[in-house]
Amino acid sequence: MKRILITGAAGFLGSHLCDRFIKEGYSVVAMDNLITGDLKNIEHLFPLENFEFHHHDISNFVHVSGHLDYILHFASPASPIDYLKIPIQTLKVSSLGTLNLLGLAKQKKSRILVASTSEIYGDPLVHPQTEDYYGNVSSIGPRGVYDEAKRFMESLTMAYHRYHGVDTRIVRIFNTYGSRMRLNDGRVVPAFMGQALRGEDLTVFGDGSQTRSFCYVDDQVEGIYRLLMSDYTDPINIGNPHETTILEFAQEIIKLTGTDQKIIFKPLPQDDPLQREPDITRAKEILGWEPKVQRAEGLKIVYDYFKSLSSEELQKKEHRDFSKQS
């Protein structure tokens, strides 16, 4: 049986990847320190013989006994609310954590795929963003703790690939949405849906003209799976190229939820990118991948998921006490 280590396994994307590789017949070793992840995302897998969970922070030395065919590195805070509260931990997991996992991949002779992000393009001056674009990032701005950590992760991964011959893959993930997102994680899909479900006005930052493109989680997982199984070692964008403004998106959510809340406007956060849209030419040509799920279809699924949450979860404002994290 093929065996895979998935870090960040109790998070949104990590838990869906656990499901996919269990479905593919793999033995899955899941690892998470549960700072931003939640065991409820993977508790349905605990009874399975081919699933094991390790509560561990990969910023510290990582040991996994036995063979490993693959490693998926998805451990990292991914929402601005989280990584601005735990900036040092965010930097450590993509630097020290990546170093530890690349060392493990070298030792085990495993193929490793690291989860980078569209945020490495910063506030882009090129649109849509191709993998050859180097980005427009403020290394000392508040969001730099995430952006620069991921840029360093890519550099470190390519260094291990070139110098040590480690079999590496890099995926640049654009905005993804789906079930198991936290309503209070600050990203636009759960933020708007949570506000609609609670009867609150929808908050748009800036004038709402900034753009995003949203990829449904099943499409994202399929792209990641295809990249892992490919022979391609340079970064690849995986995301949905159908762009919309945040204001248009807020109006879509109001229509979907059947609510009549107002849209209110607040100042745009520092270094918040004004445009975000992937060029997926490389993914189409190399992986034969493009998103299949239309936004209206995906949002309906996610809205039904959020509607099923308890009132306690719906009203929850804080996810964790981050005060002791460093």
Side-chain angles (χ1 to χ4, degrees):
M1 184 180 286
K2 295 275 190 182
R3 193 162 182 250
I4 187 167
L5 167 66
I6 302 176
T7 69
F12 161 52
L13 257 180
S15 65
H16 282 279
L17 286 163
C18 288
D19 286 343
R20 174 61 185 265
F21 282 90
I22 288 290
K23 183 180 175 184
E24 296 288 343
Y26 282 69
S27 174
V28 172
V29 181
M31 192 171 285
D32 204 301
N33 63 359
L34 303 178
I35 287 184
T36 59
D38 197 318
L39 282 180
K40 71 180 182 184
N41 291 334
I42 51 173
E43 63 186 1
H44 60 287
L45 301 175
F46 276 67
L48 303 179
E49 285 187 12
N50 57 332
F51 181 83
E52 58 186 279
F53 176 72
H54 297 256
H55 185 193
H56 182 68
D57 183 345
I58 64 160
S59 298
N60 301 314
F61 177 75
V62 178
H63 171 73
V64 177
S65 59
H67 79 283
L68 281 176
D69 298 284
Y70 302 107
I71 298 171
L72 293 181
H73 178 17
F74 279 73
S76 175
S79 103
I81 280 186
D82 290 344
Y83 60 68
L84 295 178
K85 285 182 178 178
I86 44 173
I88 296 169
Q89 182 67 31
T90 301
L91 286 158
K92 285 167 71 174
V93 73
S94 289
S95 55
L96 299 176
T98 304
L99 186 66
N100 288 332
L101 292 177
L102 286 165
L104 182 66
K106 178 173 175 278
Q107 175 205 346
K108 301 281 189 183
K109 296 181 170 53
S110 312
R111 177 176 298 176
I112 180 170
L113 181 150
V114 301
S116 188
T117 171
S118 61
E119 294 294 329
I120 66 110
Y121 299 121
D123 188 6
L125 305 176
V126 169
H127 194 72
Q129 293 82 58
T130 69
E131 290 89 347
D132 296 327
Y133 177 52
Y134 294 149
N136 176 37
V137 177
S138 168
S139 61
I140 59 171
R143 294 172 71 105
V145 298
Y146 183 68
D147 304 355
E148 293 293 355
K150 293 293 191 177
R151 289 164 72 92
F152 178 76
M153 167 198 274
E154 289 195 10
S155 297
L156 190 59
T157 298
M158 291 308 297
Y160 263 73
H161 174 70
R162 293 184 181 116
Y163 188 77
H164 288 303
V166 175
D167 192 9
T168 61
R169 305 288 182 273
I170 300 172
V171 59
R172 289 180 181 161
I173 296 170
F174 282 69
N175 293 62
T176 303
Y177 69 98
S179 60
R180 302 178 193 159
M181 296 188 89
R182 295 198 337 259
L183 272 175
N184 58 2
D185 85 349
R187 286 180 278 194
V188 67
V189 172
F192 282 171
M193 287 197 176
Q195 288 173 329
L197 285 165
R198 290 189 296 267
E200 301 168 359
D201 293 332
L202 271 61
T203 304
V204 169
F205 294 98
D207 62 6
S209 63
Q210 66 271 38
T211 66
R212 296 294 184 270
S213 47
F214 300 100
C215 185
Y216 185 62
V217 64
D218 289 359
D219 285 332
Q220 182 65 239
V221 166
E222 177 65 24
I224 291 164
Y225 182 84
R226 291 191 188 197
L227 176 57
L228 181 67
M229 299 305 158
S230 77
D231 295 324
Y232 194 74
T233 57
D234 283 342
I236 283 196
N237 292 335
I238 299 291
N240 193 315
H242 299 293
E243 186 182 25
T244 184
T245 69
I246 295 299
L247 183 56
E248 289 168 340
F249 187 64
Q251 292 162 344
E252 279 184 45
I253 296 299
I254 289 173
K255 184 178 179 182
L256 169 69
T257 58
T259 52
D260 58 359
Q261 283 95 324
K262 299 194 302 288
I263 295 173
I264 59 174
F265 297 88
K266 291 190 175 180
L268 196 66
Q270 184 180 340
D271 300 328
D272 195 50
L274 297 180
Q275 289 183 302
R276 181 72 80 232
E277 179 192 347
D279 183 311
I280 61 168
T281 304
R282 195 176 285 185
K284 285 181 178 178
E285 292 176 351
I286 294 166
L287 307 179
W289 176 89
E290 61 183 315
K292 304 291 186 192
V293 179
Q294 298 296 316
R295 191 163 69 238
E297 177 189 352
L299 289 175
K300 175 71 167 61
I301 296 168
V302 179
Y303 181 55
D304 288 343
Y305 166 76
F306 284 137
K307 277 199 302 185
S308 74
L309 298 178
S310 67
S311 58
E312 180 186 2
E313 288 175 299
L314 192 60
Q315 300 298 330
K316 199 173 180 183
K317 296 294 184 188
E318 294 291 331
H319 174 56
R320 293 277 191 274
D321 177 9
F322 290 136
S323 61
K324 295 182 175 62
Q325 300 300 329
S326 62

